[in-house]
mmCIF file of all heavy atoms in Angstrom:
data_model
loop_
_atom_site.group_PDB
_atom_site.id
_atom_site.type_symbol
_atom_site.label_atom_id
_atom_site.label_comp_id
_atom_site.label_asym_id
_atom_site.label_seq_id
_atom_site.Cartn_x
_atom_site.Cartn_y
_atom_site.Cartn_z
ATOM 1 N N GLU A 208 193.823 77.240 162.416
ATOM 2 C CA GLU A 208 192.730 76.385 162.865
ATOM 3 C C GLU A 208 193.141 74.969 163.201
ATOM 4 O O GLU A 208 192.434 74.284 163.926
ATOM 5 C CB GLU A 208 191.623 76.360 161.822
ATOM 6 C CG GLU A 208 192.035 75.751 160.498
ATOM 7 C CD GLU A 208 190.848 75.603 159.522
ATOM 8 O OE1 GLU A 208 189.845 74.904 159.880
ATOM 9 O OE2 GLU A 208 190.922 76.157 158.404
ATOM 10 N N VAL A 209 194.327 74.539 162.694
ATOM 11 C CA VAL A 209 194.725 73.129 162.956
ATOM 12 C C VAL A 209 196.155 73.130 163.466
ATOM 13 O O VAL A 209 197.017 72.431 162.956
ATOM 14 C CB VAL A 209 194.605 72.221 161.668
ATOM 15 C CG1 VAL A 209 193.098 72.045 161.387
ATOM 16 C CG2 VAL A 209 195.330 72.892 160.501
ATOM 17 N N SER A 210 196.409 73.883 164.521
ATOM 18 C CA SER A 210 197.835 74.053 164.987
ATOM 19 C C SER A 210 198.316 73.031 165.992
ATOM 20 O O SER A 210 199.486 72.891 166.207
ATOM 21 C CB SER A 210 197.930 75.431 165.658
ATOM 22 O OG SER A 210 197.000 75.523 166.726
ATOM 23 N N ASP A 211 197.405 72.150 166.497
ATOM 24 C CA ASP A 211 197.796 71.173 167.498
ATOM 25 C C ASP A 211 198.873 70.215 166.882
ATOM 26 O O ASP A 211 198.659 69.682 165.829
ATOM 27 C CB ASP A 211 196.631 70.403 167.998
ATOM 28 C CG ASP A 211 195.736 71.231 168.925
ATOM 29 O OD1 ASP A 211 196.161 72.292 169.373
ATOM 30 O OD2 ASP A 211 194.669 70.782 169.220
ATOM 31 N N GLY A 212 199.955 70.062 167.631
ATOM 32 C CA GLY A 212 201.028 69.135 167.141
ATOM 33 C C GLY A 212 202.034 69.752 166.271
ATOM 34 O O GLY A 212 203.032 69.113 165.860
ATOM 35 N N TYR A 213 201.916 71.072 166.026
ATOM 36 C CA TYR A 213 202.789 71.792 165.166
ATOM 37 C C TYR A 213 203.347 73.071 165.904
ATOM 38 O O TYR A 213 202.648 73.640 166.669
ATOM 39 C CB TYR A 213 202.136 72.289 163.863
ATOM 40 C CG TYR A 213 201.513 71.223 163.046
ATOM 41 C CD1 TYR A 213 200.162 70.944 163.140
ATOM 42 C CD2 TYR A 213 202.234 70.595 162.010
ATOM 43 C CE1 TYR A 213 199.541 69.983 162.316
ATOM 44 C CE2 TYR A 213 201.645 69.631 161.228
ATOM 45 C CZ TYR A 213 200.282 69.358 161.406
ATOM 46 O OH TYR A 213 199.669 68.429 160.556
ATOM 47 N N SER A 214 204.570 73.380 165.572
ATOM 48 C CA SER A 214 205.186 74.634 165.999
ATOM 49 C C SER A 214 205.893 75.249 164.846
ATOM 50 O O SER A 214 206.173 74.588 163.851
ATOM 51 C CB SER A 214 206.159 74.404 167.166
ATOM 52 O OG SER A 214 207.209 73.618 166.777
ATOM 53 N N VAL A 215 206.091 76.549 164.934
ATOM 54 C CA VAL A 215 206.795 77.251 163.830
ATOM 55 C C VAL A 215 207.818 78.236 164.442
ATOM 56 O O VAL A 215 207.782 78.528 165.619
ATOM 57 C CB VAL A 215 205.759 78.092 163.008
ATOM 58 C CG1 VAL A 215 204.868 77.155 162.152
ATOM 59 C CG2 VAL A 215 204.985 79.007 163.841
ATOM 60 N N SER A 216 208.717 78.666 163.505
ATOM 61 C CA SER A 216 209.678 79.667 163.930
ATOM 62 C C SER A 216 210.009 80.495 162.730
ATOM 63 O O SER A 216 210.060 80.004 161.575
ATOM 64 C CB SER A 216 210.939 79.040 164.561
ATOM 65 O OG SER A 216 211.644 78.290 163.557
ATOM 66 N N ARG A 217 210.235 81.761 162.988
ATOM 67 C CA ARG A 217 210.664 82.702 161.904
ATOM 68 C C ARG A 217 211.716 83.611 162.481
ATOM 69 O O ARG A 217 211.434 84.651 163.066
ATOM 70 C CB ARG A 217 209.478 83.474 161.359
ATOM 71 C CG ARG A 217 209.804 84.200 160.138
ATOM 72 C CD ARG A 217 208.567 84.738 159.464
ATOM 73 N NE ARG A 217 208.858 85.486 158.227
ATOM 74 C CZ ARG A 217 208.060 86.318 157.714
ATOM 75 N NH1 ARG A 217 206.849 86.544 158.260
ATOM 76 N NH2 ARG A 217 208.363 86.967 156.569
ATOM 77 N N SER A 218 212.951 83.253 162.234
ATOM 78 C CA SER A 218 214.096 83.982 162.778
ATOM 79 C C SER A 218 214.600 84.984 161.755
ATOM 80 O O SER A 218 215.302 85.981 162.090
ATOM 81 C CB SER A 218 215.257 83.054 163.168
ATOM 82 O OG SER A 218 215.636 82.295 162.052
ATOM 83 N N LYS A 219 214.205 84.818 160.485
ATOM 84 C CA LYS A 219 214.582 85.721 159.405
ATOM 85 C C LYS A 219 213.346 85.936 158.519
ATOM 86 O O LYS A 219 212.495 85.077 158.417
ATOM 87 C CB LYS A 219 215.713 85.154 158.549
ATOM 88 C CG LYS A 219 217.025 84.907 159.272
ATOM 89 C CD LYS A 219 218.112 84.422 158.346
ATOM 90 C CE LYS A 219 217.841 83.062 157.831
ATOM 91 N NZ LYS A 219 218.946 82.536 156.973
ATOM 92 N N THR A 220 213.286 87.071 157.880
ATOM 93 C CA THR A 220 212.130 87.398 156.997
ATOM 94 C C THR A 220 211.964 86.283 155.970
ATOM 95 O O THR A 220 210.801 85.942 155.663
ATOM 96 C CB THR A 220 212.377 88.716 156.298
ATOM 97 O OG1 THR A 220 212.454 89.782 157.254
ATOM 98 C CG2 THR A 220 211.222 89.025 155.304
ATOM 99 N N GLU A 221 213.007 85.795 155.415
ATOM 100 C CA GLU A 221 212.897 84.866 154.337
ATOM 101 C C GLU A 221 212.570 83.393 154.659
ATOM 102 O O GLU A 221 212.248 82.638 153.814
ATOM 103 C CB GLU A 221 214.166 84.890 153.451
ATOM 104 C CG GLU A 221 215.470 84.612 154.201
ATOM 105 C CD GLU A 221 216.174 85.840 154.719
ATOM 106 O OE1 GLU A 221 215.462 86.821 155.116
ATOM 107 O OE2 GLU A 221 217.425 85.871 154.706
ATOM 108 N N ASP A 222 212.731 82.997 155.929
ATOM 109 C CA ASP A 222 212.568 81.636 156.280
ATOM 110 C C ASP A 222 211.471 81.414 157.325
ATOM 111 O O ASP A 222 211.410 82.107 158.327
ATOM 112 C CB ASP A 222 213.890 81.041 156.827
ATOM 113 C CG ASP A 222 214.933 80.896 155.814
ATOM 114 O OD1 ASP A 222 214.563 80.597 154.604
ATOM 115 O OD2 ASP A 222 216.127 81.085 156.090
ATOM 116 N N PHE A 223 210.610 80.402 157.062
ATOM 117 C CA PHE A 223 209.500 80.073 157.980
ATOM 118 C C PHE A 223 209.583 78.595 158.110
ATOM 119 O O PHE A 223 209.369 77.807 157.138
ATOM 120 C CB PHE A 223 208.191 80.596 157.351
ATOM 121 C CG PHE A 223 207.054 80.526 158.334
ATOM 122 C CD1 PHE A 223 207.237 80.791 159.709
ATOM 123 C CD2 PHE A 223 205.766 80.362 157.862
ATOM 124 C CE1 PHE A 223 206.137 80.749 160.514
ATOM 125 C CE2 PHE A 223 204.660 80.379 158.712
ATOM 126 C CZ PHE A 223 204.846 80.590 160.059
ATOM 127 N N LEU A 224 209.819 78.065 159.340
ATOM 128 C CA LEU A 224 209.985 76.676 159.566
ATOM 129 C C LEU A 224 208.757 76.095 160.267
ATOM 130 O O LEU A 224 208.212 76.702 161.199
ATOM 131 C CB LEU A 224 211.208 76.422 160.430
ATOM 132 C CG LEU A 224 212.548 76.941 159.939
ATOM 133 C CD1 LEU A 224 213.676 76.594 160.883
ATOM 134 C CD2 LEU A 224 212.859 76.385 158.566
ATOM 135 N N LEU A 225 208.356 74.939 159.840
ATOM 136 C CA LEU A 225 207.241 74.227 160.462
ATOM 137 C C LEU A 225 207.832 72.943 161.054
ATOM 138 O O LEU A 225 208.482 72.165 160.318
ATOM 139 C CB LEU A 225 206.190 73.910 159.395
ATOM 140 C CG LEU A 225 205.018 73.010 159.890
ATOM 141 C CD1 LEU A 225 204.094 73.812 160.869
ATOM 142 C CD2 LEU A 225 204.199 72.465 158.745
ATOM 143 N N THR A 226 207.537 72.727 162.357
ATOM 144 C CA THR A 226 208.090 71.587 163.026
ATOM 145 C C THR A 226 206.972 70.660 163.581
ATOM 146 O O THR A 226 206.036 71.219 164.210
ATOM 147 C CB THR A 226 209.051 71.960 164.189
ATOM 148 O OG1 THR A 226 210.151 72.657 163.654
ATOM 149 C CG2 THR A 226 209.556 70.727 164.950
ATOM 150 N N LEU A 227 207.085 69.431 163.309
ATOM 151 C CA LEU A 227 206.190 68.421 163.946
ATOM 152 C C LEU A 227 207.020 67.819 165.030
ATOM 153 O O LEU A 227 208.012 67.127 164.796
ATOM 154 C CB LEU A 227 205.747 67.389 162.960
ATOM 155 C CG LEU A 227 204.785 67.799 161.841
ATOM 156 C CD1 LEU A 227 205.356 68.712 160.830
ATOM 157 C CD2 LEU A 227 204.329 66.516 161.098
ATOM 158 N N GLU A 228 206.718 68.091 166.248
ATOM 159 C CA GLU A 228 207.536 67.685 167.374
ATOM 160 C C GLU A 228 207.652 66.190 167.491
ATOM 161 O O GLU A 228 208.717 65.619 167.799
ATOM 162 C CB GLU A 228 207.070 68.251 168.706
ATOM 163 C CG GLU A 228 206.972 69.776 168.729
ATOM 164 C CD GLU A 228 208.272 70.494 168.720
ATOM 165 O OE1 GLU A 228 209.321 69.762 168.946
ATOM 166 O OE2 GLU A 228 208.331 71.697 168.458
ATOM 167 N N SER A 229 206.535 65.500 167.255
ATOM 168 C CA SER A 229 206.480 64.024 167.333
ATOM 169 C C SER A 229 205.440 63.581 166.343
ATOM 170 O O SER A 229 204.226 63.583 166.631
ATOM 171 C CB SER A 229 206.127 63.578 168.776
ATOM 172 O OG SER A 229 206.022 62.174 168.823
ATOM 173 N N ALA A 230 205.901 63.234 165.118
ATOM 174 C CA ALA A 230 204.970 62.980 164.041
ATOM 175 C C ALA A 230 203.958 61.876 164.321
ATOM 176 O O ALA A 230 204.373 60.847 164.929
ATOM 177 C CB ALA A 230 205.721 62.742 162.774
ATOM 178 N N THR A 231 202.765 62.055 163.903
ATOM 179 C CA THR A 231 201.714 61.035 163.996
ATOM 180 C C THR A 231 201.150 60.793 162.628
ATOM 181 O O THR A 231 201.274 61.564 161.695
ATOM 182 C CB THR A 231 200.552 61.446 164.951
ATOM 183 O OG1 THR A 231 199.860 62.554 164.297
ATOM 184 C CG2 THR A 231 201.102 61.922 166.302
ATOM 185 N N SER A 232 200.488 59.634 162.464
ATOM 186 C CA SER A 232 199.993 59.235 161.132
ATOM 187 C C SER A 232 198.913 60.249 160.627
ATOM 188 O O SER A 232 198.727 60.458 159.428
ATOM 189 C CB SER A 232 199.314 57.835 161.248
ATOM 190 O OG SER A 232 198.310 57.780 162.233
ATOM 191 N N SER A 233 198.251 60.910 161.613
ATOM 192 C CA SER A 233 197.226 61.926 161.182
ATOM 193 C C SER A 233 197.868 63.169 160.576
ATOM 194 O O SER A 233 197.143 64.004 160.016
ATOM 195 C CB SER A 233 196.394 62.350 162.426
ATOM 196 O OG SER A 233 197.147 63.027 163.381
ATOM 197 N N GLN A 234 199.190 63.317 160.683
ATOM 198 C CA GLN A 234 199.887 64.401 160.078
ATOM 199 C C GLN A 234 200.406 64.067 158.679
ATOM 200 O O GLN A 234 201.057 64.951 158.037
ATOM 201 C CB GLN A 234 201.021 64.900 160.982
ATOM 202 C CG GLN A 234 200.498 65.482 162.306
ATOM 203 C CD GLN A 234 201.571 65.873 163.305
ATOM 204 O OE1 GLN A 234 202.483 65.074 163.516
ATOM 205 N NE2 GLN A 234 201.484 67.105 163.835
ATOM 206 N N THR A 235 200.090 62.895 158.202
ATOM 207 C CA THR A 235 200.344 62.606 156.829
ATOM 208 C C THR A 235 199.498 63.540 155.981
ATOM 209 O O THR A 235 198.240 63.548 156.122
ATOM 210 C CB THR A 235 200.053 61.094 156.500
ATOM 211 O OG1 THR A 235 200.905 60.287 157.175
ATOM 212 C CG2 THR A 235 200.083 60.869 155.040
#
Side-chain angles (χ1 to χ4, degrees):
Chain A
E208 64 174 301
V209 291
S210 60
D211 287 348
Y213 302 94
S214 62
V215 290
S216 66
R217 192 170 179 197
S218 58
K219 299 184 291 185
T220 299
E221 57 266 36
D222 290 326
F223 192 32
L224 304 180
L225 176 71
T226 298
L227 291 65
E228 302 291 347
S229 177
T231 67
S232 58
S233 65
Q234 294 175 312
T235 292

